[in-house]
Amino acid sequence: MKKTLIVEDEYVAAANLEECLKTSGYIVTEIIADGETAIQKIEQDKPDLVLMDIKLNGKLNGVDVAAIVRSRFSVPVIYLTAYTDEPIMKQVRLSEPFGYLNKPFRENELLMAVEMAFCRESNEKN
């Protein structure tokens, strides 16, 4: 079963994500609210996917964390955010995400993005 880490600083949003994923059969390893801790947990737990908010607690934003995650751990990242301004979108594209969902999103959109990320990762490894 695929393990997912949620990096989200809004507790209610994170709890909703966790419930949606667990109901669909995914394992949620943890919910983290800041980028620095997220990097440590990814190194320790080695999740198969990271769901990443862009605005986080701490010094690093989600784009910074996603770039580190891709380069150091090769773990796919899907952004979940309400931010769509062009400077952030440029940073997002450079971090090579496996998906991007605008908040608020529907459960089926989330699950489709998760499945597509796992499919793309599988194709890239072969």
Side-chain angles (χ1 to χ4, degrees):
M1 188 52 41
K2 301 285 188 180
K3 299 183 303 182
T4 303
L5 175 71
I6 298 172
V7 184
E8 168 66 70
D9 63 343
E10 294 177 27
Y11 178 77
V12 173
N16 288 338
L17 282 170
E18 180 179 35
E19 179 64 27
C20 174
L21 291 168
K22 284 183 173 181
T23 300
S24 298
Y26 295 100
I27 297 167
V28 175
T29 59
E30 201 160 347
I31 297 171
I32 304 294
D34 69 275
E36 294 83 358
T37 305
I39 292 167
Q40 293 171 357
K41 289 295 181 179
I42 292 164
E43 190 166 28
Q44 290 172 1
D45 298 341
K46 303 198 180 4
D48 300 297
L49 177 70
V50 177
L51 298 178
M52 179 79 64
D53 189 14
I54 289 179
K55 186 164 172 48
L56 299 172
N57 295 332
K59 295 178 183 175
L60 299 173
N61 69 27
V63 178
D64 298 330
V65 175
I68 292 167
V69 168
R70 282 293 285 157
S71 65
R72 283 181 52 192
F73 308 111
S74 296
V75 174
V77 173
I78 296 175
Y79 287 109
L80 311 170
T81 188
Y83 293 93
T84 58
D85 61 317
E86 190 52 36
I88 288 180
M89 291 308 297
K90 283 183 181 179
Q91 290 179 318
V92 163
R93 285 189 289 274
L94 291 173
S95 70
E96 300 178 9
F98 274 55
Y100 185 99
L101 290 172
N102 284 320
K103 292 179 184 177
F105 49 83
R106 294 189 304 261
E107 183 176 319
N108 65 332
E109 293 171 328
L110 170 66
L111 296 174
M112 181 60 74
V114 168
E115 285 300 314
M116 291 292 103
F118 286 136
C119 182
R120 178 177 158 196
E121 181 197 29
S122 176
N123 289 340
E124 286 184 5
K125 285 184 176 178
N126 294 333

